[in-house]
């Protein structure tokens, strides 16, 4: 992983695709959809088990959004926050129990252990933030925010957007990527010298998997939280 | 990592597009399947709860109003009952007084009648006795004296005696 030779690619419509990203991404999307679909059957006034879990999740992500976006505006980003949280969470956990590599090339792993995937989402967040700012204040007022507190601040403002984009995407990538890397190294260790190393490696692997599951949940939460912070910054200019 | 990034950059567009499109489709599906109906249901529930609270408030007010009405009615009926008892008492008193007075007058009238009757009787008796005594004494006198004594003179004499008796 991380090594270019471990990436299987294919061409389609003039674009190059990363097979691992496509397969694992598809699996994550399908898992998220099945999860939500299974829990959202039989929606009633008196919630059943599945509906309770789903309502709790919706309240949870809405709570994250409302924590930084003031007033009623958080409602507009509820669906984005909810889907983003679920997808990142399941993506982060996917690689912990399902990693498929054929002939030294990865096919299924955490989609979020690829910086391209995470930066796609960070780009989406920042685009939504810009869009929300323009929708609320209009082009002129929105972009004049870059000149605050004074005109010469412009390069710093632009640079800040860029670093926001990079750090938001790379933070989650770093944590998940390193987690899976270490899992793989421990796995290799287990099979390196027969029984002796296996006995040492199995508890290590267990501990690290547990920790990675925890980190994956935290990172999904952090991503959604920071997304809402960036969005709220753009719709609070000049207030 | 940096070599990975460098390689990835040549792959970027395809993967990014794939993820962006899939994510939008996923968002749309979730909106269709879960987000809309669940939010609708949550809104409905919130409305129902607030309605329930309102109606509970209302029925509590109604109950309080009813209780007050009953209280008032009770107090009212107590007052009325007291009034009825009082008036009955008063009426009874009046009736009693009336009956008593009536009885008194009746008794008085009876007594008067009786007195009058007695007086009449006495007068009658006296007059009949007077006549009888007169006749008897005449007879007796005529028998005893055997003398031609005028009946009228005799009567006058007897009368004067009787007058003396009556006093």
């Amino acid at each position: 992983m991380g090594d270019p030779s471990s990436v299987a690619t294919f061409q389609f419509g003039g674009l190059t695709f990363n097979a691992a990203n496509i397969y694992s991404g598809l699996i994550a999307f399908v898992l998220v959809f099945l999860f939500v679909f299974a829990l959202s059957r039989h929606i009633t006034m008196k919630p059943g088990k599945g509906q309770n879990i789903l309502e709790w999740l919706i309240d949870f992500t809405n709570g994250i959004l409302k924590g930084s976006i003031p007033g009623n505006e958080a409602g507009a980003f509820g669906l984005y926050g909810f889907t983003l949280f679920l997808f990142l969470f399941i993506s982060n956990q996917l690689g912990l129990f399902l990693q498929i590599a054929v002939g030294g090339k990865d096919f299924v792993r955490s989609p979020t252990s690829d910086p391209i995937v995470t930066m796609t989402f960070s780009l989406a967040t920042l685009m939504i933030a810009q869009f929300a700012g323009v929708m609320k204040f209009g082009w002129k007022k929105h972009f004049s925010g870059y000149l605050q507190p004074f005109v010469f601040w412009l390069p710093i403002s632009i640079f800040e957007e860029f670093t926001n984009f990079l750090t938001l995407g790379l933070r989650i990538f770093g944590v998940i990527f390193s987690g899976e890397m270490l899992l793989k190294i421990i796995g290799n260790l287990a099979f390196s010298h027969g029984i002796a190393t296996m006995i040492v490696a199995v508890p290590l692997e267990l501990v690290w998997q547990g920790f990675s599951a925890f980190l994956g949940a935290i990172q999904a939460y952090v991503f959604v939280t920071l997304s809402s912070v960036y969005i709220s910054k753009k719709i609070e200019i000049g207030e | 990592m940096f070599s990975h990034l460098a390689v990835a950059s040549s792959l970027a567009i395809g993967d990014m597009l794939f993820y962006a499109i899939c994510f939008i489709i996923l968002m749309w599906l979730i909106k269709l399947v879960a987000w809309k109906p669940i939010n609708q249901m949550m809104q409905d529930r919130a409305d129902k709860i607030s309605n329930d609270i309102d109606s509970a408030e209302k029925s509590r007010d109604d109950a309080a109003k009813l209780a007050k009405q009953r209280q008032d009615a009770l107090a009212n009926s107590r007052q009325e009952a007291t009034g009825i008892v009082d008036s009955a008492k008063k009426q009874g008193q009046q009736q009693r007084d009336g009956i008593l007075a009536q009885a008194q007058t009746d008794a008085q009238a009876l007594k008067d009648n009786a007195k009058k009757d007695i007086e009449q009787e006495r007068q009658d008796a006296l007059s009949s006795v007077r006549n009888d005594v007169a006749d008897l004494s005449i007879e007796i006198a005529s028998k005893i004296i055997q003398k031609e004594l005028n009946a009228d003179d005799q009567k006058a004499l007897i009368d004067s005696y009787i007058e003396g008796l009556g006093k």
Side-chain angles (χ1 to χ4, degrees), chain A residues 2 16-18 21-22 25 29 36 40-41 43-45 51 54-55 58-59 78-79 83 111 117 120-121, chain B residues 4-5 7-8 11 14-19 22-23 26-27 29-31 33-35 37-38 41-42 45 48:
Chain A
T16 312
F17 290 92
N18 180 336
N21 280 351
I22 304 299
F29 282 123
V36 172
S40 63
R41 300 304 86 198
I43 289 170
T44 50
M45 186 68 88
Q51 196 186 341
L54 216 51
E55 284 185 10
I58 288 174
D59 276 345
L79 180 60
T83 315
V117 175
T120 305
F121 289 112
Chain B
H4 182 98
L5 269 181
V7 170
L11 303 171
D15 286 3
M16 283 177 109
L17 272 178
F18 172 76
Y19 272 86
C22 279
F23 191 79
L26 181 68
M27 252 168 81
L29 281 176
I30 285 180
K31 183 178 185 181
V33 161
W35 186 260
I38 281 189
M41 190 50 70
M42 282 162 107
R45 192 180 306 141
K48 185 180 175 334

Side-chain angles (χ1 to χ4, degrees), chain A residues 35-96:
Chain A
F35 175 75
V36 172
F37 185 77
L39 292 184
S40 63
R41 300 304 86 198
H42 312 299
I43 289 170
T44 50
M45 186 68 88
K46 238 173 153 184
K49 244 183 200 166
Q51 196 186 341
N52 259 332
I53 294 170
L54 216 51
E55 284 185 10
W56 180 81
L57 272 173
I58 288 174
D59 276 345
F60 176 70
T61 55
N62 279 348
I64 296 174
L65 292 172
K66 278 186 187 125
S68 35
I69 302 175
N72 294 329
E73 283 161 340
F77 307 103
L79 180 60
Y80 177 69
F82 178 69
T83 315
L84 191 63
F85 178 80
L86 274 187
F87 178 73
L88 289 180
F89 180 79
I90 288 187
S91 295
N92 292 348
Q93 312 301 342
L94 184 63
L96 293 183

Side-chain angles (χ1 to χ4, degrees), chain A residues 3-26:
Chain A
D3 166 16
S5 66
S6 76
V7 179
T9 61
F10 62 89
Q11 299 276 329
F12 181 78
L15 294 169
T16 312
F17 290 92
N18 180 336
N21 280 351
I22 304 299
Y23 294 143
S24 35
L26 267 181

